[in-house]
Amino acid sequence: MGSLYGVNIETLNGIGKRRAELFNKLNIYSVGDLIEFYPRRYEDWSVIIPIEDAEDNQTVCIKATVSSYINSVRTKGGRLLTKFSAFDETGAVEIIYFNNKYIDSMLSYGETYLFYGKINRNISGYQMISPMFSKKENSNGMHPVYKQTQGLQNRVIENAVKTAISMLPKVINDPLPNVIREKFNLCDYDFAIKNIHFPKSENDLQKARKRLICQELLILMLGMNNLKNRDKTKTTLKLKKDFTEEFYSLLPYTLTDAQKKTIKACIDDMMFNSCSMNRLVQGDVGSGKTAVAAAVCYNAVKNGWQAAFMAPTEILAEQHYQSLSKIFKEKNITIDLLTGSQTPSQKKKIRENIASGKSDLIIGTHTLITDKTEFKNLGVVITDEQHRFGVAQRAKLLSKGENPHLLVMSATPIPRTLGLIIYGDLDISIIDELPPGRQKVDTFLISGKLRQRACNFIKKQINNGNQAYIVCPLVSEGEADLASAEEYAAELMLKEFSDIGIGILHGKLKAAEKDKIMKQFESGELSVLVSTTVIEVGVNVPNATVMMIENAEMFGLSQLHQLRGRVGRGKEKSYCILVSDNENPDTLNRLKTLCKTNNGFEIADADFLQRGPGDFFGERQHGLPQLTIADFADKTNIEISKEMCNYILNNQDEFCKREINTLNACIKRLFNKGGSNIMN
Ligand code: ADP
Ligand code: MG
């Protein structure tokens, strides 16, 4: 099979240079690609309708004999028109094709075919335009419908696939080893390929699908595992002394057991492992991940390394800079902040400090990993809110320094099954405990009619000396009816909170302005912060006790949960008010999940069930290879594939070299598809 990836589709009968280009548009370059171009859906040709019973506009399969010579003429407009009639025992139909110069060579007078397509009924009788057709003997059943592109019809693809399949060798190197197929009761590759394209029955199709889905997921998981292990060359970066106890004494609070356990896992990684740390910390909002990062930084610096701590936004980087500076203030550690909005000369100076080793701990945004930044002695890299960093970015990070230790922190709980895949390349620690004394954020769902009352409630909180967030989905008016931060704030200032300090925060503001507003809010100078989702990640103002979210239906549940995590950070009771005028019961039910639970993992599961995996990544930000048949929401098959993956990894000696090589070739192909070259 492998060799067919090297055979250009142009070598197939009926595919010339021009057609090949059309196939290329569908990302099909080789015969192997074509074999893996699975149908989108199927048409059922097994139910044959008598012409007489067909209804106008119905999609039907009829069995009819061509009863006139097949005539092609040019219309005045220059189109090629092919027309003939056909009949069965009940009636006749006129069949028409446009611009298809091959039709008359493919169909013949007096022969019987199955025709599949839309039928029209008018005064002059029945008519079918460009139906698909097939010689009756071999097509009683399901027909594949492929993704098409302009100028490349389904029939052409179907025939090309048929030819491609006929080129499969008699004995195929099945990507799934025998042992695995037997153990997990999956059909062989030959059966799967033939039946995914031309299933003999629904049952066979399902068998084929299941096998191909599991295969793809398995290949993905094995590939992720390779990524995890590929840089496992021996590290020279080993902690000599553990400074964690000393670190504890710098904090004004006692760490939770979950935090301590996580820190210990990191220290163990860096002290005893022969390879660099490659660890993910997953912890719900407010679980205290920053303290874990700080502990790791402290150990690194005290052992003579540099540490880099990256955040996805400048606000967050600034905040980490402030809070770590505070913790370490007595400790003679040089901390620097490096962000995109600093002036070139500032950046230059800080980069010099980093390169010379003057800076011990560097906190910043993505700027930190640009090629311009050189480290003297980088020992560990920490990235906060890792769902914004894809697999490829993680790889880039690791190219800085001599394979530094890597810790990624995520506040987005991921459903377990999905985590199995996306975090396949990382060891995982979960902080499953919140610091003591945290209260549940009471959450309410209201319609716009109750907004006035909600505002009164917010005013009451403010009069008690607390602060409030109001979140809107958009920056400025443009899309109808969506509350926009700017206009919304203007209106509030006039109407509701005329005597109260309001700040507006959104992504389009200059960094310095954002900074100023954030500081004013942190210091309490501003009581209300009207904001787009820029506050979603990490912002920490414990005095804020209420958040109102407008157009709540616009957000994913996990995102709302993140937003809500901005309140309930202090000692006082906190509230979240979701405003939505949406009337769709499904939408409202979805939002009510948040009123019921504060557990991020539960919410992630609900979100995943309802909206699929897109929410967890944004637009393909996960950096994973694109799947052709499997799907990240397919829990059942993900579980099965994980078992297969573990079995293969744990029982390597049961597989022969050929089987391992075949799997490896598949991994390489999947990960390098679309030129992503994640894996070399
Ligand atoms: P997140 O996990 O969302 O990043 P943070 O690290 O921002 O959470 O911590 C949230 C708040 O909880 C901060 O104000 C932090 O100082 C505080 N905190 C963290 N750990 C503890 C703890 N063990 N006990 C009390 N407060 C803590
Ligand atoms: Mg955080």
Side-chain angles (χ1 to χ4, degrees), residues 309-324:
F309 188 5
M310 300 204 311
T313 65
E314 301 211 349
I315 292 177
L316 209 57
E318 165 88 9
Q319 208 170 71
H320 286 330
Y321 176 71
Q322 299 297 348
S323 56
L324 266 60

Side-chain angles (χ1 to χ4, degrees), residues 253-256 259 284-290 435-436 438 540 569:
Y253 47 76
T254 313
L255 290 177
T256 62
Q259 284 170 310
D284 212 340
V285 275
S287 60
K289 292 182 290 295
T290 316
R438 288 284 162 73
N540 190 27
R569 302 196 140 228

Side-chain angles (χ1 to χ4, degrees), residues 251-257 259-260 281-293 309 316 319-320 323 327 384-385 409-411 431 433-438 537-542 562 565-566 568-570:
L251 297 174
Y253 47 76
T254 313
L255 290 177
T256 62
D257 287 345
Q259 284 170 310
K260 286 183 181 165
V281 174
Q282 243 191 304
D284 212 340
V285 275
S287 60
K289 292 182 290 295
T290 316
V292 172
F309 188 5
L316 209 57
Q319 208 170 71
H320 286 330
S323 56
I327 298 175
D384 195 4
E385 310 300 345
M409 303 200 298
S410 170
I431 308 184
E433 184 184 358
L434 294 181
R438 288 284 162 73
V537 273
V539 171
N540 190 27
V541 179
Q562 291 278 302
R566 301 310 108 209
R569 302 196 140 228

Side-chain angles (χ1 to χ4, degrees), residues 1 4-5 7-9 11-13 15 23 28 30-37 146 156-169 172 189-190 193-194 197-198:
M1 171 70 198
L4 292 182
Y5 294 102
V7 182
N8 196 308
I9 39 158
T11 57
L12 291 183
N13 267 346
I15 299 184
F23 273 101
I28 301 168
S30 68
V31 174
D33 292 341
L34 188 58
I35 287 175
E36 280 181 0
F37 188 67
Y146 296 93
V156 177
I157 302 175
E158 188 180 331
N159 285 333
V161 170
K162 256 186 209 145
T163 318
I165 288 179
S166 72
M167 290 165 73
L168 280 170
I172 299 174
Y189 189 71
D190 190 66
I193 283 303
K194 285 176 180 155
H197 289 288
F198 306 106

Side-chain angles (χ1 to χ4, degrees), residues 158-185:
E158 188 180 331
N159 285 333
V161 170
K162 256 186 209 145
T163 318
I165 288 179
S166 72
M167 290 165 73
L168 280 170
K170 281 245 154 48
V171 183
I172 299 174
N173 270 346
D174 194 316
L176 292 182
N178 282 338
V179 179
I180 291 293
R181 288 203 320 269
E182 272 162 32
K183 202 169 160 48
F184 292 88
N185 196 15

Side-chain angles (χ1 to χ4, degrees), residues 564-591:
R564 175 170 68 175
R566 301 310 108 209
V567 296
R569 302 196 140 228
K571 290 193 184 59
E572 279 152 297
K573 179 92 204 142
S574 294
Y575 307 88
C576 176
I577 304 162
L578 306 172
V579 187
S580 176
D581 283 325
N582 197 291
E583 285 171 359
N584 183 330
D586 288 342
T587 306
L588 296 178
N589 263 333
R590 186 167 74 81
L591 292 173

